[in-house]
Amino acid sequence: TEMTQSPTSLSASVGDRVTITCRAGQGIATYLAWFQQKPGTAPKLLIYEASTLQSGVPSRFSGSASGPDFTLTISSLHPEDVATYYCQNYNTAPFTFGPGTKVEIK
Amino acid sequence: EVQLVESGGGLVQPGGSLKLSCAAAGFTFSGSAIHWVRQASGKGLEWIGRVRSNRNGYVTSYTASVKGRFIISRDDSRNTAYLQMNSLKIEDSAVYYCTRQPETGRGITPPGDYWGQGTLVAVSS
């Protein structure tokens, strides 16, 4: 299942609301996860089942789904949120990742 | 504490082979599927494949680009999963990660709650 993400990158100010979109090429129900990856480190699970917050993840992160479209929202951007964000289908193999969205501070 | 530790990376010539290990601790290894994910320098994450748990028959799945060249296996007595890589190509150069997916028998749980630190594979002549 091909996964697409938009935008490829974004620059926002501290405190801004940030939205990243992921689209699944085929139906994946809500078996979608969002990961945050900082340079030189392994990915970190933020959201699973499209909208369930992983334990320990700040509540400013949220996820939603509407048909084939999935959204990751950061309600108020913090400096430590600078990272690349990936979505991943885990409904059926191959468990494809989206190409990533790089988030920077303006 | 849950830990996943990859090892076995290194420099290999094109056409060569390498076997990576993923040693697990701190959880019931036999109850989890293990995924392998790689990341080429400056690129995104690429899912390589998965070996399921005994409950699910140790079934393996692979992405198209490695099917027929890579083999994922596991030894539950050693709490270790393996990625055997054959016929390596320059484009296989990447950091290779393993991650777990608990298989509880109660629905589909997400992969990726714990990851190893990664091991670097460089394919070059």
Side-chain angles (χ1 to χ4, degrees):
Chain A
T1 300
E2 183 180 6
M3 308 297 293
T4 57
Q5 268 183 253
S6 62
T8 302
S9 64
L10 65 89
S11 181
S13 300
V14 171
D16 281 355
R17 183 181 184 88
V18 169
T19 299
I20 299 168
T21 299
C22 174
R23 172 168 286 189
Q26 299 176 26
I28 61 170
T30 56
Y31 296 115
L32 182 111
W34 287 99
F35 294 89
Q36 176 193 65
Q37 188 182 33
K38 298 181 179 180
T41 69
K44 174 186 176 182
L45 178 63
L46 299 176
I47 303 276
Y48 62 94
E49 212 165 328
S51 61
T52 302
L53 197 67
Q54 173 70 355
S55 176
V57 174
S59 59
R60 65 181 179 274
F61 291 93
S62 64
S64 63
S66 177
D69 295 326
F70 300 87
T71 300
L72 173 70
T73 300
I74 308 173
S75 60
S76 177
L77 189 66
H78 283 41
E80 60 266 34
D81 301 335
V82 169
T84 300
Y85 294 82
Y86 297 92
C87 60
Q88 184 193 23
N89 143 55
Y90 63 95
N91 183 36
T92 53
F95 301 113
T96 322
F97 288 91
T101 296
K102 188 173 184 179
V103 174
E104 298 175 323
I105 298 289
K106 193 181 294 183
Chain B
E1 179 191 5
V2 172
Q3 283 192 320
L4 294 165
V5 179
E6 303 93 342
S7 61
L11 177 64
V12 61
Q13 291 188 335
S17 297
L18 206 59
K19 187 172 186 177
L20 307 183
S21 298
C22 171
F27 66 99
T28 304
F29 179 77
S30 61
S32 289
I34 297 295
H35 296 240
W36 287 92
V37 174
R38 69 184 178 185
Q39 186 169 39
S41 180
K43 303 297 184 182
L45 301 171
E46 181 182 18
W47 181 83
I48 297 172
R50 172 183 75 169
V51 58
R52 302 196 70 175
S53 66
N54 181 30
R55 169 198 294 272
N56 290 294
Y58 299 123
V59 171
T60 55
S61 303
Y62 302 92
T63 192
S65 63
V66 308
K67 200 173 292 186
R69 298 190 300 124
F70 289 12
I71 300 170
I72 299 174
S73 62
R74 63 189 296 158
D75 183 343
D76 288 352
S77 69
R78 296 178 182 271
N79 286 349
T80 301
Y82 304 97
L83 176 63
Q84 175 69 48
M85 303 185 294
N86 302 319
S87 303
L88 281 161
K89 305 175 181 180
I90 290 175
E91 54 264 37
D92 294 319
S93 297
V95 174
Y96 285 72
Y97 296 100
C98 63
T99 183
R100 73 167 193 173
Q101 180 183 21
E103 296 194 310
T104 63
R106 297 187 299 273
I108 301 176
T109 56
D113 61 348
Y114 289 94
W115 295 69
Q117 82 290 350
T119 187
L120 179 63
V121 172
V123 184
S124 175
S125 55

